[in-house]
Amino acid sequence: MSPEAQIHSTKPAAASNLYTALLAIAFGVVLATAAFVAVKCYFIYETLFKIP
Amino acid sequence: MSNLTKILIVLLTLSAILLCGIVVTYVANADNYRQKYASLNSERDSLEKDKESLNNQLKEKIQQKDDLEKSLNGQLSTLKTRADDLQAKIDTVERERAELLERVNGWASITKDFQATTEKQTELLSTAQEDVKQLKAEEIKLSKDLEQTSATLIEKTAIIEAAEVEKRRLVEEKADLQNRLDKTMQAGGKVAAAGTPVTQEKGYALPAQTTAAAINLKASVSEVDAKNSLATISIGSADGVKEGMKFHVTRGSEFVCDVLIVDVDTEKAVGVLELVQSATGGPKVGDNAATNL
């Protein structure tokens, strides 16, 4: 796609759905890990950020 | 999309999966420090309670130990006192035992001496019994002699009585013959003279005649104690004065009193006044005193 065509198009489109899916997987893995750690921390220490 | 972007996306995805897996694994296997803290805290509390109770028990034990120590100290002092008393008693008993042993030894020696004396006395007794036997035999012999002598004496007495009867009869015959002779001779104016018997009369033993010698001590009164009726004369035992002698005190030719000597010294003697003649005024110093007037 040429730069002119990009300037003129109004709706962006993914270059490749595969790599978008990979990014989504990576994001989901990170999110799940953060949630797991938060849940674990909450159940163990009953708080997320304070030091008991 | 460039290839580099694609590679970065793939690497990002892989690294995210890897790191998240590591984090999940670590968090899943991490220790529950809060639970550990709580358990340790409760354990510490229980240990502190145990410590407190043990401290209380220790204090009680210490108190009991102190009480027991005090009571034991008291008992120990009492026992020490009793031990001292018993030691003193033991010393006393040992001393008494030694004294008793000495007395036993003394009594043993005394018993030995007594046994020896008893044996000697037994020997003397046996000797004395033999002497008694001999004396009894002699006594029996003397009794026989006495019986014989008594029988002889009775015979002699009977002979003497017969002789006296004969003598009395002869005296009567003599008196009768004397009367007849007197009557016969009175007619002629004569009297029969007393005849001399042919047989001499037996003499009898007379007591020996005792002669008394005069003492002849002369002295003078040297001191007079009229209140106690005492007088002192000027001679004593050196001149032969003895207790119980009696001195006659004279003044000139007058008899004054007697002095009965009761105490004799070497050069003087003291006596009690007797038969004091009140007319002479009693004895005075210078009066003569003599045993013989």
Side-chain angles (χ1 to χ4, degrees), chain B residues 8 27 30 32 36 38-39 43 71 125 127 132 140 171 177 179 184 189 197 201 212 214 218 231 250 256 277 289:
Chain B
L8 286 173
V27 170
N32 191 349
K36 276 189 176 181
S39 65
E43 190 177 355
S71 65
L125 179 64
T127 309
V132 167
I140 291 167
V171 167
L177 288 173
N179 286 332
T184 305
E201 286 186 4
K218 292 181 180 179
T250 57
V256 178
Q277 302 296 315

Side-chain angles (χ1 to χ4, degrees), chain A residues 6-33:
Chain A
Q6 284 181 355
I7 292 168
H8 289 294
S9 66
T10 57
K11 186 179 177 181
S16 175
N17 289 329
L18 178 63
Y19 295 104
T20 304
L22 283 176
L23 284 175
I25 287 169
F27 179 74
V29 166
V30 171
L31 190 64
T33 299

